Amino acid sequence: MFITLEGSEGVGKSTLIDLLKDYFSDKKIDFLFTREPGGTKEGQAIRKILLDKSIELNSYSETFLILADRYEHINKIINPALKKNQNILSDRYIDSTLAYQGAGRGIDQKDLEFLMNLLNYPKPDLTIYLDLSVEEGLNRVKKRGKSDRFEKEDLIFFEKIRKFYLKLVTANPEKYFLIDASKPIDEVFDLAKNCILSKLNEK
Ligand code: Z5A
């Protein structure tokens, strides 16, 4: 089972993943937790560049770095795990590229799809999307302290990203599970956990 987690800044992906890690480990259900960018050693080096506020990147250069990270991730982590029938949960994946580089940076969706198809990527069985207003997400990030190269973008950038995600999710209800991320974290966790368990039971 291949699950991805998506959403904009500060929606609570990392917090939710920590809770899911504890839950599945307690229940002895094998789950591999991974992320983009930075799921591999090579990807961690790429992630440093992508998040470095002192670096200016052209939108295409940013996209190529994201895709290089993904190619490493697919070949070194995702495909080997899927071959072993392991359950995987990735914090961000292809939809982040369509949302951030496509809707956010303005790169043509067809160009992105063409480039991503070159990666021959496995498709997720389920994507959990955490939805939150841009203002609340950015407030949470501000309270947390440190910001990165993406978080210095303006509200309009993040509004475009959220609008894109919502369009994608509502157009494909069979593939996506939307969670209102303004709910308390224990409710968000229960909804995500129950959704994953029912998907595992289906398989
Ligand atoms: N990126 C891209 O552009 N294209 C791509 O294809 C891919 C990625 C794959 C990765 O950064 C960046 O890469 C990302 C997009 C870009 N943009 N940025 N920035 P990252 O992995 O470092 O950042 P992120 O994925 O956006 O996550 P984040 O900013 O760290 O947020 P989060 O993990 O979703 O949230 P959190 O850290 O769990 O929670 C934030 C705070 O809110 C924290 O203090 C929590 O205690 C609090 N919180 C969490 N849940 C709740 C609830 N339910 N209520 C109240 N407070 C809460």
Side-chain angles (χ1 to χ4, degrees):
M1 165 85 63
F2 180 23
I3 299 173
T4 60
L5 185 59
E6 295 280 352
S8 190
E9 324 317 294
V11 291
K13 290 183 287 82
S14 312
T15 311
L16 172 62
I17 283 176
D18 286 345
L19 294 170
L20 290 172
K21 270 185 192 166
D22 288 348
Y23 176 82
F24 285 111
S25 143
D26 281 356
K27 296 277 170 213
K28 309 230 176 318
I29 299 176
D30 180 34
F31 242 105
L32 175 70
F33 288 88
T34 182
R35 69 166 176 182
E36 289 190 359
T40 61
K41 184 173 161 234
E42 297 70 21
Q44 280 164 26
I46 297 171
R47 178 183 171 90
K48 270 197 188 137
I49 302 174
L50 281 165
L51 298 190
D52 187 339
K53 271 196 286 194
S54 70
I55 288 178
E56 281 200 18
L57 287 174
N58 170 280
S59 300
Y60 277 92
S61 311
E62 179 180 282
T63 304
F64 294 138
L65 286 171
I66 293 275
L67 298 185
D69 168 74
R70 181 158 307 133
Y71 200 55
E72 292 298 312
H73 192 211
I74 289 170
N75 288 304
K76 291 185 173 142
I77 306 285
I78 298 178
N79 279 342
L82 289 176
K83 253 192 188 161
K84 289 190 262 170
N85 272 328
Q86 252 184 308
N87 297 312
I88 313 173
L89 191 148
S90 181
D91 181 354
R92 297 195 179 280
Y93 191 55
I94 43 174
D95 293 338
S96 284
T97 313
L98 297 172
Y100 282 77
Q101 282 62 51
R105 301 287 191 219
I107 295 189
D108 192 271
Q109 295 283 335
K110 287 214 170 70
D111 287 351
L112 282 180
E113 276 164 22
F114 171 78
L115 290 169
M116 290 206 292
N117 282 337
L118 298 176
L119 307 180
N120 194 18
Y121 62 89
K123 308 238 178 340
D125 299 297
L126 166 74
T127 299
I128 296 175
Y129 168 63
L130 299 188
D131 184 54
L132 186 68
S133 75
V134 170
E135 288 83 355
E136 196 171 339
L138 291 177
N139 274 340
R140 286 185 188 175
V141 169
K142 244 187 231 155
K143 273 194 213 148
R144 195 180 52 187
K146 60 181 174 52
S147 69
D148 62 35
R149 205 174 56 79
F150 289 93
E151 287 155 4
K152 63 179 195 183
E153 294 300 331
D154 59 15
L155 277 183
I156 297 168
F157 176 77
F158 293 109
E159 291 289 4
K160 285 188 210 158
I161 287 167
R162 182 180 184 214
K163 201 170 152 199
F164 175 85
Y165 271 129
L166 284 171
K167 206 169 136 194
L168 194 67
V169 171
T170 39
N172 301 282
E174 70 294 349
K175 287 191 196 155
Y176 292 88
F177 184 70
L178 183 148
I179 297 179
D180 174 357
S182 69
K183 291 181 183 212
I185 187 61
D186 51 337
E187 281 185 43
V188 172
F189 165 67
D190 272 345
L191 287 164
K193 176 199 73 186
N194 292 338
C195 170
I196 294 171
L197 288 176
S198 85
K199 197 78 185 173
L200 285 175
N201 283 337
E202 266 175 34
K203 275 234 154 181

